[in-house]
Amino acid sequence: MRTVNVDEVIGRARVNRFHWFLIICCTFMIMCDGYDLFMYGTIVPSLMKDWGISPVVAGSLNSYALVGMMIGALALGPAADRWGRKNVIVISCAVFCVFTGLAGFAGGPTAFAVLRFIAGLGLGGIMPNTVALVTEYAPASVRSTLVAVMFSGHPFGGVVASLIGMWLVPTAGWQAVLWIGAIPLLVLPLFVWWVPDSLQFYSQKQRTDKLAAVLARVSGETYDAQDSYVLTRPVERGFPVIRLFGEGRGVSTVLFWVSFFMCLLTMYGLTTWLPKLMQTAGFAVASSLGSLLALNVGAIVGAVVGSRIADWVGAKPVLVVSFLIAAASLVAMSQRPSIGLLYVLLFVAGATTTGTQITSNAYVSQYYPTEMRSTGIGWALGVGRLGGILGPTVGGLLVAGHLSLTADFLAFALPSVVSAVAMALVQQRYAVWRQHSSHPAV
């Protein structure tokens, strides 16, 4: 019998077929979140027209789903650290798909809000657990990059939502956009069959047969169920949320929450109201929906490029600079540029808001030890969802107030500056890679 250090095997592994299949499966799950986020922006003008609701009411309808996401992230992140990330992801996806599809049959704002809230509960459990799962299995040298590649499914889901909205809303109505949200149910069995659970979870359950099989897939080497498997950090007991503030990480935990709150306020506010703001500024409907497309394409490029640079030079400076560029691009958009320059600025804004948030997710997931990783990213996203809840309402107030385009975009630029300051103050000396590894993960 030999002793196998699980973390060392994972850290030194080369990216192979196992990693890419894991990325593909988790990327598809993340697309659900991206589709949901940007889908509402494509249907909100139709909802306002069909139900005769005000911009403030329309903004609050999206906030119900975001409240559900917040509760789901806060509850299901810690739950996954105890009961398995894979199990929580599967249940979360099923809940989201069923209730998103049912929302397409809602006959009014009240039923719509209730169904969207329940769908949000499921959706809130997907993001923190897919991030934690990919982070756990990714080799150390490309960890941020692989998480970002997986997370590019979020803006890609937005691209899909934008294209579907441009195609289906005029021909089949807003309901069809929601019905398509139930399609991931068809591929859920593939995820159940192929994706392994957390190595930490297998270790807790003393499933050495599972550990041997998964490590063989990760490394291409042979392992036996009779081997002794150890992780760098032992499983700790106690309420995991409280432990986010232990070992000197308390200040950085709060700073992560502030940054996520501000970034998601901008993301959800823009994606909900950008088409309406563009129409108010005099752009055609097609151009207005195309603005979401430019935003999402930029997010995909920004996520992959930004995270690759983060693997080279460290995530912290990349995040700070990107958030400042986001603020500058939003201020530039307020000056009513030409349509061509507007799309360029939207591309940059997408790269440095949604794209930078993706890099932030990878950064935060690596800051905490494995046994509290889902809790760390789950609570950062959960608190961040409070900003996401506020964003659509802020946008609704801006539209209802008939303010200038300059005021509208400045309102979304300021939070990016706050995010930059928060990330600049993060104390990296307390990150887990500084305490337990000679190789900085970011």
Coordinates of all heavy atoms in Angstrom, one line a residue, residues 36 39 65 91-106 111-123 174-175 177-185:
D36 N -30.4 32.8 -18.6 CA -31.4 33.4 -17.7 C -31.2 34.9 -17.5 O -32.1 35.7 -17.6 CB -31.4 32.7 -16.4 CG -32.5 33.2 -15.5 OD1 -33.7 32.7 -15.6 OD2 -32.3 34.1 -14.7
M39 N -31.7 36.6 -21.0 CA -33.0 36.4 -21.6 C -34.0 37.4 -21.2 O -34.8 37.9 -22.0 CB -33.4 35.0 -21.2 CG -34.9 34.6 -21.4 SD -35.9 35.0 -20.0 CE -35.3 33.9 -18.8
A65 N -36.4 36.7 -9.4 CA -35.4 35.6 -9.7 C -34.1 35.7 -9.1 O -33.5 34.8 -8.6 CB -35.3 35.5 -11.2
I91 N -29.6 18.6 -8.9 CA -30.9 19.1 -8.4 C -31.2 20.5 -8.7 O -32.3 20.9 -9.1 CB -30.9 18.9 -6.8 CG1 -30.9 17.4 -6.5 CG2 -32.2 19.5 -6.2 CD1 -30.7 17.1 -5.0
S92 N -30.2 21.4 -8.6 CA -30.4 22.8 -9.0 C -30.8 23.0 -10.4 O -31.7 23.8 -10.7 CB -29.1 23.6 -8.7 OG -28.7 23.5 -7.3
C93 N -30.1 22.3 -11.3 CA -30.4 22.4 -12.7 C -31.8 21.9 -13.0 O -32.5 22.6 -13.8 CB -29.4 21.6 -13.6 SG -29.6 21.8 -15.3
A94 N -32.2 20.8 -12.4 CA -33.6 20.3 -12.6 C -34.6 21.3 -12.2 O -35.6 21.6 -12.9 CB -33.8 19.0 -11.9
V95 N -34.4 22.0 -11.0 CA -35.4 22.9 -10.5 C -35.5 24.2 -11.4 O -36.5 24.6 -11.8 CB -35.0 23.4 -9.1 CG1 -35.8 24.6 -8.6 CG2 -35.2 22.2 -8.1
F96 N -34.3 24.6 -11.8 CA -34.3 25.8 -12.7 C -35.0 25.5 -14.0 O -35.8 26.3 -14.5 CB -32.8 26.2 -13.0 CG -32.7 27.1 -14.3 CD1 -33.1 28.4 -14.2 CD2 -32.2 26.5 -15.4 CE1 -33.0 29.2 -15.4 CE2 -32.0 27.3 -16.6 CZ -32.5 28.6 -16.5
C97 N -34.7 24.4 -14.7 CA -35.3 24.1 -16.0 C -36.8 24.0 -15.9 O -37.6 24.5 -16.7 CB -34.7 22.8 -16.5 SG -33.0 22.9 -17.0
V98 N -37.3 23.3 -14.9 CA -38.8 23.0 -14.8 C -39.5 24.3 -14.6 O -40.5 24.6 -15.3 CB -39.1 22.1 -13.6 CG1 -40.6 22.0 -13.3 CG2 -38.6 20.7 -14.0
F99 N -39.0 25.2 -13.7 CA -39.8 26.4 -13.3 C -39.6 27.5 -14.3 O -40.4 28.4 -14.4 CB -39.5 26.8 -11.9 CG -40.1 25.9 -10.9 CD1 -39.4 24.8 -10.4 CD2 -41.4 26.1 -10.5 CE1 -40.1 23.9 -9.5 CE2 -42.1 25.3 -9.6 CZ -41.4 24.2 -9.1
T100 N -38.4 27.5 -15.0 CA -38.3 28.5 -16.1 C -39.3 28.2 -17.2 O -39.9 29.1 -17.8 CB -36.8 28.4 -16.7 OG1 -35.9 28.9 -15.6 CG2 -36.7 29.4 -17.9
G101 N -39.4 26.9 -17.6 CA -40.4 26.5 -18.6 C -41.8 26.8 -18.2 O -42.6 27.3 -19.0
L102 N -42.1 26.6 -16.9 CA -43.5 26.9 -16.5 C -43.7 28.4 -16.5 O -44.9 28.8 -16.7 CB -43.6 26.4 -15.0 CG -43.7 24.8 -14.9 CD1 -43.8 24.5 -13.4 CD2 -44.9 24.3 -15.6
A103 N -42.7 29.2 -16.3 CA -42.9 30.7 -16.3 C -43.4 31.1 -17.7 O -44.1 32.2 -17.8 CB -41.6 31.4 -16.0
G104 N -43.2 30.4 -18.7 CA -43.7 30.7 -20.0 C -45.2 30.6 -20.1 O -45.8 31.1 -21.1
F105 N -45.8 29.9 -19.2 CA -47.3 29.8 -19.2 C -47.9 30.8 -18.2 O -49.1 30.7 -18.0 CB -47.6 28.4 -18.8 CG -47.2 27.3 -19.7 CD1 -46.0 26.6 -19.5 CD2 -47.9 27.1 -20.9 CE1 -45.6 25.6 -20.4 CE2 -47.5 26.1 -21.8 CZ -46.3 25.4 -21.6
A106 N -47.1 31.6 -17.5 CA -47.7 32.6 -16.6 C -48.7 33.5 -17.2 O -48.4 34.0 -18.3 CB -46.6 33.3 -15.9
A111 N -47.9 35.4 -10.9 CA -47.5 34.0 -11.2 C -46.1 34.0 -11.8 O -45.3 33.1 -11.4 CB -48.5 33.3 -12.1
F112 N -45.8 34.9 -12.7 CA -44.5 35.0 -13.3 C -43.4 35.2 -12.2 O -42.4 34.5 -12.2 CB -44.5 36.1 -14.3 CG -43.2 36.3 -15.0 CD1 -43.0 35.5 -16.2 CD2 -42.2 37.1 -14.6 CE1 -41.8 35.6 -16.9 CE2 -41.0 37.2 -15.3 CZ -40.8 36.5 -16.5
A113 N -43.7 36.1 -11.2 CA -42.7 36.4 -10.2 C -42.5 35.2 -9.3 O -41.3 34.9 -9.0 CB -43.2 37.5 -9.3
V114 N -43.5 34.4 -8.9 CA -43.4 33.2 -8.1 C -42.6 32.2 -8.8 O -41.6 31.6 -8.2 CB -44.8 32.7 -7.7 CG1 -44.6 31.3 -7.0 CG2 -45.5 33.7 -6.8
L115 N -42.9 31.9 -10.1 CA -42.2 30.9 -10.8 C -40.7 31.3 -11.0 O -39.8 30.4 -11.0 CB -42.9 30.6 -12.1 CG -44.2 30.0 -12.0 CD1 -45.0 30.0 -13.4 CD2 -44.1 28.5 -11.6
R116 N -40.5 32.5 -11.3 CA -39.1 33.0 -11.5 C -38.3 32.9 -10.2 O -37.1 32.6 -10.2 CB -39.1 34.4 -12.0 CG -39.6 34.6 -13.4 CD -38.6 34.1 -14.5 NE -37.5 35.0 -14.5 CZ -36.3 34.6 -14.8 NH1 -36.0 33.4 -15.0 NH2 -35.3 35.5 -14.8
F117 N -38.9 33.1 -9.1 CA -38.2 33.0 -7.8 C -37.8 31.6 -7.5 O -36.6 31.4 -7.1 CB -39.2 33.5 -6.6 CG -38.6 33.2 -5.3 CD1 -37.7 34.0 -4.7 CD2 -39.1 32.1 -4.5 CE1 -37.1 33.7 -3.4 CE2 -38.6 31.8 -3.3 CZ -37.6 32.6 -2.7
I118 N -38.7 30.6 -7.8 CA -38.3 29.2 -7.6 C -37.2 28.8 -8.5 O -36.3 28.1 -8.2 CB -39.6 28.3 -7.7 CG1 -40.6 28.7 -6.6 CG2 -39.2 26.9 -7.5 CD1 -41.9 28.0 -6.8
A119 N -37.3 29.2 -9.8 CA -36.3 28.9 -10.8 C -34.9 29.5 -10.3 O -33.9 28.9 -10.4 CB -36.6 29.5 -12.1
G120 N -35.0 30.7 -9.7 CA -33.8 31.3 -9.2 C -33.1 30.5 -8.1 O -31.9 30.5 -8.0
L121 N -33.9 29.9 -7.2 CA -33.4 29.1 -6.2 C -32.5 28.0 -6.8 O -31.4 27.7 -6.3 CB -34.5 28.4 -5.4 CG -35.3 29.3 -4.4 CD1 -36.5 28.5 -3.8 CD2 -34.5 29.9 -3.3
G122 N -33.0 27.3 -7.8 CA -32.2 26.3 -8.5 C -30.9 26.8 -9.1 O -29.8 26.3 -9.0
L123 N -31.1 28.0 -9.8 CA -30.0 28.6 -10.5 C -28.9 29.0 -9.6 O -27.7 28.9 -10.0 CB -30.5 29.8 -11.4 CG -29.7 30.2 -12.5 CD1 -29.5 29.1 -13.5 CD2 -30.3 31.4 -13.2
W174 N -42.7 36.2 -26.3 CA -41.8 36.1 -25.2 C -41.8 34.8 -24.5 O -40.8 34.3 -23.9 CB -42.0 37.2 -24.2 CG -43.3 37.3 -23.6 CD1 -44.4 38.0 -24.0 CD2 -43.8 36.6 -22.4 NE1 -45.5 37.8 -23.2 CE2 -45.1 36.9 -22.2 CE3 -43.2 35.7 -21.5 CZ2 -45.9 36.4 -21.1 CZ3 -43.9 35.2 -20.5 CH2 -45.2 35.6 -20.3
Q175 N -43.0 34.1 -24.6 CA -43.1 32.8 -23.9 C -42.2 31.8 -24.4 O -41.6 31.0 -23.6 CB -44.6 32.3 -24.0 CG -45.6 33.1 -23.3 CD -46.2 34.2 -24.2 OE1 -45.6 34.6 -25.3 NE2 -47.3 34.8 -23.9
V177 N -39.2 32.1 -25.5 CA -37.9 32.3 -24.9 C -37.7 31.5 -23.6 O -36.6 31.0 -23.3 CB -37.6 33.8 -24.8 CG1 -36.2 34.0 -24.2 CG2 -37.7 34.5 -26.1
L178 N -38.7 31.5 -22.8 CA -38.7 30.9 -21.5 C -38.8 29.3 -21.7 O -38.1 28.6 -20.9 CB -39.9 31.3 -20.6 CG -39.7 32.8 -20.1 CD1 -41.0 33.4 -19.7 CD2 -38.8 32.8 -18.9
W179 N -39.6 28.9 -22.6 CA -39.7 27.4 -22.8 C -38.4 26.8 -23.2 O -38.1 25.7 -22.8 CB -40.8 27.2 -23.9 CG -42.2 27.6 -23.5 CD1 -42.7 27.7 -22.2 CD2 -43.2 28.0 -24.3 NE1 -44.0 28.1 -22.2 CE2 -44.4 28.3 -23.5 CE3 -43.4 28.1 -25.7 CZ2 -45.6 28.7 -24.0 CZ3 -44.6 28.5 -26.2 CH2 -45.7 28.8 -25.4
I180 N -37.6 27.5 -24.0 CA -36.3 27.0 -24.4 C -35.4 26.8 -23.1 O -34.5 26.0 -23.2 CB -35.7 27.9 -25.4 CG1 -36.4 27.8 -26.7 CG2 -34.2 27.7 -25.6 CD1 -35.9 28.6 -27.9
G181 N -35.7 27.6 -22.1 CA -34.9 27.4 -20.9 C -35.0 26.0 -20.2 O -34.2 25.7 -19.3
A182 N -36.0 25.3 -20.6 CA -36.2 23.9 -20.0 C -35.4 22.8 -20.8 O -35.3 21.7 -20.3 CB -37.7 23.5 -20.0
I183 N -34.8 23.2 -21.9 CA -34.1 22.2 -22.7 C -32.9 21.5 -22.0 O -32.7 20.3 -22.2 CB -33.6 22.8 -24.0 CG1 -34.8 23.2 -24.9 CG2 -32.6 21.9 -24.7 CD1 -34.4 23.8 -26.2
P184 N -32.2 22.1 -21.1 CA -31.1 21.4 -20.4 C -31.5 20.1 -19.7 O -30.7 19.3 -19.4 CB -30.5 22.4 -19.5 CG -30.8 23.7 -20.1 CD -32.1 23.6 -20.8
L185 N -32.8 20.0 -19.4 CA -33.2 18.7 -18.8 C -32.9 17.5 -19.6 O -32.6 16.4 -19.1 CB -34.8 18.8 -18.6 CG -35.3 19.5 -17.3 CD1 -36.8 19.5 -17.3 CD2 -34.8 18.8 -16.0

